[in-house]
C-alpha cells in the first residue's frame, strides 16, 4: 500500500495528546515502512487526506458531540469531496473518542460524517469514558498497530 498513515487529533486536552502518542507508538510497533503524518486538526487538510493510506481520528467529546476542531477538519475536507465524490472512497479509518462520562456522541457524529464520505471503518471505534488509564492506552496502541499492519499487508 502506498501513502502515509495519517493521525488527526484535537490539540487539547492532555489525554488526547497521550492517546496520540499511543497511536504513534502503535504504528512503531507495527514496524511497517509506511511514513506517518501526525497533524492537529486545525492544521490537517486535503493534501494530508489525499495522500493517506489510512487515518486515525482522535477527538474529545464536548457537550455530547464531536469536538469543534475535529468537526472543522471534516468540514474543510468536505468541499473537495463534493466536487470530486469518488476521491478517497474506502479510506480505512479508526476513531478514538474520549469523553468525561460517555464518548458515544462523538462516535455517532464522526461515524455519520465519514459514512457519507464513504470512508471504511475497519476497526470498532475506541470509546473511553472517564479517567484515562493504562488499559485504555494499551488498547489504543494495539488498535493502531493492527490498523497499520492491516493496511500494510492489504487486509484493510
Amino acid at each position: 500500500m502506498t501513502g502515509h498513515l495519517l493521525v488527526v487529533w484535537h490539540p487539547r486536552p492532555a489525554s488526547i495528546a497521550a492517546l496520540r502518542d499511543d497511536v504513534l507508538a502503535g504504528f512503531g510497533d507495527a514496524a511497517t515502512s509506511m511514513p506517518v503524518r501526525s497533524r492537529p486538526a486545525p492544521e490537517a487538510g486535503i493534501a494530508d487526506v489525499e495522500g493517506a493510506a489510512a487515518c486515525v481520528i482522535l477527538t474529545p467529546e464536548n457537550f455530547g458531540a464531536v469536538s469543534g476542531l475535529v468537526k472543522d477538519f471534516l468540514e474543510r475536507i468536505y468541499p473537495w469531496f463534493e466536487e470530486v465524490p469518488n476521491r478517497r472512497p474506502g479510506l480505512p479509518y479508526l476513531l478514538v473518542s474520549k469523553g468525561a462520562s460517555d464518548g458515544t456522541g462523538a462516535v455517532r457524529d464522526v461515524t455519520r460524517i465519514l459514512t457519507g464520505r464513504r470512508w471504511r471503518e475497519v476497526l470498532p471505534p475506541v470509546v473511553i469514558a472517564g479517567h484515562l488509564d493504562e488499559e485504555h492506552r494499551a488498547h489504543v496502541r494495539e488498535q493502531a498497530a493492527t490498523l497499520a499492519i492491516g493496511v500494510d499487508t492489504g487486509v484493510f
Side-chain angles (χ1 to χ4, degrees):
M1 173 62 77
T2 60
H4 56 263
L5 299 169
L6 176 62
V7 184
V8 177
W9 43 275
H10 192 281
R12 334 173 263 289
S15 60
I16 295 297
L19 291 167
R20 177 208 54 220
D21 293 347
D22 296 329
V23 168
L24 296 173
F27 286 167
D29 294 345
T32 72
S33 60
M34 298 178 73
V36 174
R37 190 176 291 182
S38 177
R39 298 279 191 264
E43 296 175 17
I46 293 169
D48 298 308
V49 173
E50 285 180 334
C55 182
V56 176
I57 297 176
L58 298 134
T59 184
E61 182 179 80
N62 294 337
F63 307 108
V66 62
S67 76
L69 293 176
V70 171
K71 185 171 184 293
D72 173 70
F73 158 72
L74 295 170
E75 289 175 350
R76 282 185 289 106
I77 65 169
Y78 191 77
W80 65 262
F81 182 82
E82 280 285 306
E83 296 160 9
V84 186
N86 292 320
R87 190 177 295 163
R88 302 307 296 136
L91 182 69
Y93 78 92
L94 169 65
L95 173 62
V96 179
S97 173
K98 169 66 178 80
S101 61
D102 187 13
T104 59
V107 170
R108 176 200 63 229
D109 294 346
V110 173
T111 300
R112 182 180 298 149
I113 293 165
L114 295 182
T115 298
R117 284 172 176 60
R118 296 190 310 273
W119 287 15
R120 188 166 43 115
E121 180 184 89
V122 294
L123 295 165
V126 177
V127 180
I128 301 165
H131 179 71
L132 180 63
D133 62 29
E134 289 306 312
E135 186 176 321
H136 297 130
R137 296 188 67 185
H139 180 61
V140 167
R141 185 173 178 155
E142 179 182 303
Q143 292 296 82
T146 301
L147 177 68
I149 291 168
V151 170
D152 192 48
T153 60
V155 171
F156 300 139

